Amino acid sequence: MTEIADTDDIIQKFSTAIELPYDVRFVSAALDWTAELGKIAGCGQREVNDLRLALEETLTFLVNSYPDAESWEQIRLEFGLQSNDLIHITISNAGPPVHLNQIPIYNPENPSESEIVGLWYFLACNAVNELSFQNLGMDGWRAVIKKQLSNATFTQKASPHTAEMTPAEKKTFIARIATEQDADGLVDLTYETYRYTYPLPMFYHSSQLSQALKEKGIVSIVVETNGIIVGNSSMVISAHTPRCAYSCSLMLKPAFRKSQAIIYLLREINRYLASGELGVDLYYGNTVTTHTGSQKAGEKTGFKPLGLLLSACIAVDFRGMKRICAGRESFVIYVRFACTPTLGVIYLPERHQPVMNGLLTQAGFPSRLSADEAIPQALNTRFHIEEDPVERCATVMLSELSQDWATPLRKTIFTLKVRDIRTLVILIPAWLPVPPDLDAEMERFNAVFTGIKPISADECYLIYCAVSNPVDFDHILLADPLANALKEHCRQLYNKIFDEKGSAN
């Protein structure tokens, strides 16, 4: 058995899966399935036989080890061909633990009767490059079979959009404002961009999206060619922030990401925002950090970074792009003002001022920075909560603070975490002197300062993120140098909190 090293650049050429009952009568069906897939991959007859042997021995062992399996329990087989011509078969198993140290080592030169029990393992291992068993804890066990092919002949089917991108054919693009009749095309575009990971459910339901477009609850700017929508950017206005328009994700069909479509779309976005038709003070967008492409596109239309949202949502699946990591996605906040900000002073703790000064100036803030503190004077602490149970994220926007503001906030955070909210974004008014020891109080919630969020020309908030999942700052990719400096500032704050709490334990 020769071990195959894993490589980060490996991708799947194809993969498929089946599920079978824990019954040896179904093993032959699994072997035939595997053999046919092996032939599609380009296996020679000997390689097919090797795969059949390894799978038959492993499956038979696993099924026989679990004679009391429930009728509804299934054993799952996944077959994949990787770009390095390696066949990768996984067998997900809910049966009893596999103890390899209890399997006798079979010696073919001088076999003994006691070793015959380990013959299956000997045969399976010698038929393939790797056979391993992985303990998945509460998810059971997984057997992994790997077989390197000498001459894989499988080629991936050409994309149906390949013809759309042939150099000989010059495309004519048209950018315009979408109407309710465009809902179907926008749903298709959403899938082709994000599969089923886009965080706004409306974009997967034509009827809902059509109604929103008709009622101007959402404004979508689209670019099309030959009557097909190939790009989109949308804006919505929340009732809680009526002076701020939220710019949704930039979408482009994979086949058009290197075409002139992006230029037409960005040009129309810039024209529309400059027209002031929405009547807002500013435009706001959360841009992904798994790549910098959409950040650069935002900068081309006048958007500037002002903050980060750490571990804000489940990682999105960009179709046609390699996934950087399987963890949660962080965002960088981008802002474009439609008018000059009128907020005279922005209050924030002194240690955050050096990193924010350049970002605020770059974004067009004429405001003076102050570290003044004052005991809040409101009779009651008031806040608005926006909770997303799918993304496991919630935003708590405080509008008024009482002297005992931390107590109701602490209770709210506890309630949200009980409901398995993984990330809390806490917004503190920045137009008022900050409460004494604000950062120290936030550290008790595991919350770190991550920037500033304006919601109108004369209102903005300090952003604090409280996260339950570990944050890998190395996977937060930022195009703007000042935003990258903010990331490093946040990394230091984050490490300080968790290093101190770790050492205390």
Side-chain angles (χ1 to χ4, degrees):
M1 181 169 67
T2 305
E3 188 167 332
I4 302 295
D6 290 328
T7 305
D8 291 339
D9 295 331
I10 294 173
I11 60 173
Q12 290 274 22
K13 284 187 176 181
F14 76 83
S15 64
T16 185
I18 59 170
E19 292 185 344
L20 304 168
Y22 280 85
D23 187 328
V24 291
R25 291 174 294 180
F26 291 89
V27 170
S28 61
L31 299 180
D32 291 343
W33 175 79
T34 301
E36 289 303 312
L37 291 173
K39 292 174 183 177
I40 292 173
C43 287
Q45 188 57 52
R46 179 167 182 174
E47 291 168 328
V48 169
N49 293 340
D50 287 343
L51 284 173
R52 287 182 65 104
L53 175 60
L55 185 61
E56 181 177 17
E57 296 296 338
T58 305
L59 267 181
T60 302
F61 167 76
L62 293 174
V63 171
N64 287 337
S65 298
Y66 197 21
D68 55 345
E70 300 288 348
S71 59
W72 50 265
E73 290 185 290
Q74 302 280 298
I75 192 164
R76 178 180 174 85
L77 275 68
E78 295 183 47
F79 182 108
L81 175 65
Q82 298 178 343
S83 57
N84 60 347
D85 295 341
L86 182 75
I87 285 180
H88 191 281
I89 300 174
T90 62
I91 309 169
S92 299
N93 173 40
V98 178
H99 301 290
L100 291 180
N101 61 340
Q102 296 180 13
I103 299 175
I105 298 175
Y106 180 79
N107 182 2
E109 301 297 330
N110 186 25
S112 66
E113 188 174 342
S114 63
E115 294 173 356
I116 206 72
V117 178
L119 177 59
W120 76 267
Y121 185 63
F122 172 82
L123 294 173
C125 285
N126 282 276
V128 293
N129 296 92
E130 278 190 41
L131 171 60
S132 60
F133 290 86
Q134 301 170 355
N135 186 346
L136 305 181
M138 295 178 67
D139 291 325
W141 285 74
R142 180 169 58 201
V144 179
I145 295 171
K146 296 182 181 181
K147 179 70 174 178
Q148 184 71 58
L149 301 189
S150 59
N151 184 32
T153 57
F154 178 81
T155 56
Q156 290 174 286
K157 185 174 65 174
S159 167
H161 300 297
T162 302
E164 297 176 355
M165 296 303 296
T166 51
E169 183 182 356
K170 185 176 180 180
K171 293 295 180 184
T172 301
F173 295 106
I174 299 172
R176 58 177 176 80
I177 304 298
T179 67
E180 59 266 34
Q181 284 76 33
D182 294 313
D184 286 348
L186 287 170
V187 169
D188 291 342
L189 175 63
T190 303
Y191 169 74
E192 292 201 41
T193 307
Y194 295 102
R195 301 185 191 272
Y196 291 108
T197 60
Y198 189 62
L200 296 181
M202 178 194 309
F203 278 81
Y204 295 105
H205 300 278
S206 295
S207 59
Q208 295 179 21
L209 186 55
S210 178
Q211 190 68 17
L213 289 167
K214 182 179 180 180
E215 296 174 352
K216 303 298 183 185
I218 185 170
V219 174
S220 289
I221 298 169
V222 299
V223 60
E224 64 179 6
T225 181
N226 296 332
I228 299 173
I229 294 175
V230 299
N232 165 58
S233 180
S234 300
M235 280 160 283
V236 296
I237 299 176
S238 168
H240 298 285
T241 55
R243 305 300 303 167
C244 173
Y246 172 66
S247 176
C248 300
S249 300
L250 196 70
M251 301 183 191
L252 279 173
K253 285 193 175 187
F256 290 86
R257 287 176 185 159
K258 295 182 180 180
S259 73
Q260 295 290 308
I262 184 64
I263 296 176
Y264 282 81
L265 183 57
L266 294 178
R267 186 183 300 159
E268 182 62 16
I269 292 171
N270 189 55
R271 183 206 66 77
Y272 184 79
L273 299 187
S275 71
E277 291 183 38
L278 285 178
V280 295
D281 294 346
L282 70 136
Y283 307 97
Y284 167 97
N286 293 332
T287 307
V288 297
T289 59
T290 45
H291 64 86
T292 60
S294 52
Q295 297 171 37
K296 293 175 181 178
E299 289 175 359
K300 289 182 181 296
T301 54
F303 281 81
K304 301 297 180 183
L306 272 179
L308 298 173
L309 299 178
L310 302 177
S311 189
C313 74
I314 299 169
V316 295
D317 183 4
F318 294 102
R319 196 170 187 187
M321 297 177 68
K322 183 181 178 182
R323 227 174 185 177
I324 302 298
C325 64
R328 290 175 65 83
E329 173 75 83
S330 294
F331 292 127
V332 55
I333 294 173
Y334 270 77
V335 171
R336 168 174 166 162
F337 278 97
C339 62
T340 302
T342 57
L343 185 60
V345 181
I346 294 176
Y347 296 91
L348 76 160
E350 187 173 0
R351 64 172 171 166
H352 309 313
Q353 291 185 15
V355 74
M356 289 306 305
N357 187 52
L359 286 165
L360 289 164
T361 301
Q362 179 177 260
F365 268 97
S367 311
R368 178 175 63 87
L369 301 183
S370 172
D372 289 351
E373 298 180 348
I375 297 174
Q377 298 298 314
L379 294 177
N380 298 296
T381 297
R382 300 182 183 278
F383 47 78
H384 167 70
I385 301 174
E386 290 186 359
E387 183 179 351
D388 190 332
V390 175
E391 301 294 348
R392 296 284 187 260
C393 181
T395 299
V396 182
M397 178 184 286
L398 288 87
S399 56
E400 293 184 12
L401 280 70
S402 65
Q403 184 172 342
D404 190 31
W405 63 275
T407 299
L409 180 59
R410 185 180 298 109
K411 293 178 180 178
T412 299
I413 291 174
F414 176 80
T415 301
L416 290 169
K417 287 195 172 183
V418 166
R419 295 205 288 265
D420 198 28
I421 292 298
R422 312 302 297 166
T423 300
L424 277 157
V425 179
I426 305 167
L427 302 179
I428 304 292
W431 61 87
L432 298 171
V434 297
D437 298 323
L438 173 62
D439 276 1
E441 196 66 54
M442 286 297 172
E443 287 177 6
R444 294 189 180 96
F445 306 139
N446 290 342
V448 298
F449 173 83
T450 60
I452 287 178
K453 176 181 178 178
I455 63 167
S456 70
D458 57 3
E459 294 176 295
C460 65
Y461 285 85
L462 307 181
I463 307 168
Y464 287 83
C465 287
V467 297
S468 298
N469 291 72
V471 178
D472 186 347
F473 285 87
D474 290 334
H475 281 121
I476 298 177
L477 307 180
L478 301 174
D480 184 274
L482 295 176
N484 201 60
L486 174 62
K487 180 187 81 169
E488 294 306 317
H489 180 69
C490 297
R491 189 203 296 259
Q492 292 178 12
L493 299 174
Y494 175 89
N495 289 341
K496 177 178 180 293
I497 290 177
F498 290 96
D499 286 348
E500 288 180 354
K501 293 195 174 183
S503 61
N505 293 333

